[in-house]
Amino acid sequence: QVQLVESGGGLVQSGGSLRLSCAASRIIFRVNVMGWYRQAPGLERELVATTTRDGVTNYADSVKGRFTISRDNAWKTVYLQMNSLKPEDTAVYYCNVRDIRASYWGQGTQVTVSS
C-alpha cells in the first residue's frame, strides 16, 4: 500500500509564498497523474493543479500564474509552489497520485492565508 505524506503547509500573510511537498512511501510504477487538490470549509474538494506522464500540466483558473506544480524524476515526490497567496487560498491541500490501477491520497496539509 502506498502512503503519501504532505508537508509545507502553514500560516502566511496575504501576498506570501509557501511550497508544499508530497512524498510517496515507495516508488509507484506507471504513474499517470500527480496532482494537488484543496478543500475549504463547507466546500467541495477542488482541483488545484495536475501534471501528467505526457508532460501536460493543468491549473485551476483561480491559481494560474501564481501556483506551479512540479515533480521529481522518479515520480515519487510532487511539489506545489504557491506565490502571491490570497485569503481565498485558505484550505486543506491534498496530494493525489494515480497509476493504472489506483488513486492514492495524502492526509492533507492546512494552508491558512491571513489578510
Side-chain angles (χ1 to χ4, degrees):
Q1 182 70 2
V2 175
Q3 292 184 337
L4 302 179
V5 179
E6 298 109 334
S7 60
L11 174 64
V12 64
Q13 288 187 336
S14 182
S17 298
L18 285 174
R19 188 184 193 222
L20 304 183
S21 300
C22 172
S25 56
R26 61 168 176 82
I27 296 232
I28 304 172
F29 295 102
R30 292 303 301 170
V31 171
N32 289 327
V33 184
M34 302 183 90
W36 289 93
Y37 293 73
R38 67 186 181 187
Q39 187 168 17
L43 299 179
E44 294 186 353
R45 191 172 298 187
E46 63 176 1
L47 180 147
V48 176
T50 57
T51 182
T52 74
R53 178 165 289 277
D54 296 330
V56 177
T57 57
N58 182 44
Y59 295 93
D61 287 343
S62 59
V63 307
K64 282 181 181 177
R66 300 188 298 122
F67 291 10
T68 303
I69 189 171
S70 61
R71 57 162 180 85
D72 66 351
N73 289 334
W75 290 87
K76 195 176 177 184
T77 305
V78 60
Y79 306 96
L80 186 68
Q81 178 66 44
M82 305 186 294
N83 299 327
S84 302
L85 282 161
K86 305 175 181 179
E88 51 263 45
D89 294 318
T90 295
V92 178
Y93 284 69
Y94 299 89
C95 68
N96 174 255
V97 177
R98 281 173 272 166
D99 65 13
I100 58 174
R101 293 177 297 180
S103 178
Y104 307 98
W105 290 92
Q107 82 287 352
T109 185
Q110 177 70 46
V111 172
T112 303
V113 185
S114 63
S115 57

